[in-house]
Amino acid sequence: MVELTNLLKSGLGKDYIIKADSVKVAIAGCGGLGSNCAFNLVRSGITRLKLIDFDFVEQSNLNRQFFFYSQIGMPKPDALAQNLMAINPELKLDIVKEKIRDGNIKDMFSDCQVVVEALDGAREKAMIAEALLGEGKFIVSASGVAGFGNTDRIKVHRIKKNFILVGDLETGSDKMPVLSPAVNIAAAKQADIVIEYIMKQ
């Protein structure tokens, strides 16, 4: 048992560790929201993750995503898995280097109880909700996390019992630059919602 697990067990108890290991969480998009949400989940004891992204790490990602200069050019799920395993080498990770489409979405998420929606486009975000809400998944999405200042605007919106939306719902990347502080705040809120859900099961 690694030191992180021991630390969490001593502070939060054995039942917390058992629950944290009982649910598989899909990270749909390993960019700013997804990569930062994932490391928050791992540091909180979540061990079973499916990392889904078809993109590669670029230099322009380094201002807000959980990647490093040496990883430029790597597939994002591979790079993120490398960084997460450095936190907890006992993780159970599935890596999917594939674009999420209408035709593959239900199969892609069939083995996950929780889905963190961390995609860029509005169409893709809607596709996750439309396809998976009826499948009994718990979905945590985000909308409006660009800009800086007044980060209290990034709120948790409980749309349905199994659909939570984080953000200010209006400040997109078409209006403001996307910077690390606001993205990290939203990603941390997504992770916290996931942990709360798992612990209440």
Side-chain angles (χ1 to χ4, degrees), residues 33-58:
L33 289 166
S35 65
N36 289 300
C37 181
F39 89 69
N40 276 293
L41 289 172
V42 168
R43 291 188 192 280
S44 302
I46 306 304
T47 57
R48 301 172 60 208
L49 295 171
K50 176 177 273 192
L51 310 177
I52 305 169
D53 204 308
F54 68 96
D55 207 356
F56 297 82
V57 178
E58 300 178 5

Side-chain angles (χ1 to χ4, degrees), residues 83-95:
N83 296 340
L84 297 176
M85 292 293 284
I87 299 170
N88 182 355
E90 293 186 341
L91 296 176
K92 295 172 277 290
L93 303 178
D94 288 345
I95 294 174

Side-chain angles (χ1 to χ4, degrees), residues 7 14 20 49 56 69 88 92 125 129 153 162:
L7 177 66
K14 182 180 178 181
L49 295 171
F56 297 82
Y69 187 85
N88 182 355
K92 295 172 277 290
K125 289 174 177 292
R153 64 190 163 81
N162 64 329

Side-chain angles (χ1 to χ4, degrees), residues 30-31 35 57 61-62 65-69 71 76 79-80 83:
C30 297
S35 65
V57 178
N61 301 148
L62 301 183
Q65 301 183 18
F66 183 44
F67 301 118
F68 301 95
Y69 187 85
Q71 295 176 315
K76 285 186 178 180
L80 181 56
N83 296 340

Side-chain angles (χ1 to χ4, degrees), residues 170-183:
E170 59 180 47
T171 311
S173 58
D174 57 329
K175 298 180 180 179
M176 295 283 285
V178 184
L179 299 174
S180 184
V183 170

Side-chain angles (χ1 to χ4, degrees), residues 83-136:
N83 296 340
L84 297 176
M85 292 293 284
I87 299 170
N88 182 355
E90 293 186 341
L91 296 176
K92 295 172 277 290
L93 303 178
D94 288 345
I95 294 174
V96 179
K97 291 177 277 192
E98 191 176 342
K99 188 176 178 65
I100 300 170
R101 294 184 172 88
D102 286 320
N104 65 12
I105 187 168
K106 289 187 179 180
D107 286 342
M108 191 176 286
F109 295 95
S110 62
D111 58 341
C112 300
Q113 296 84 17
V114 176
V115 177
V116 174
E117 181 280 302
L119 302 172
D120 292 330
R123 170 69 188 98
E124 290 77 13
K125 289 174 177 292
M127 182 174 62
I128 292 276
E130 290 167 6
L132 299 180
L133 276 175
E135 299 294 306

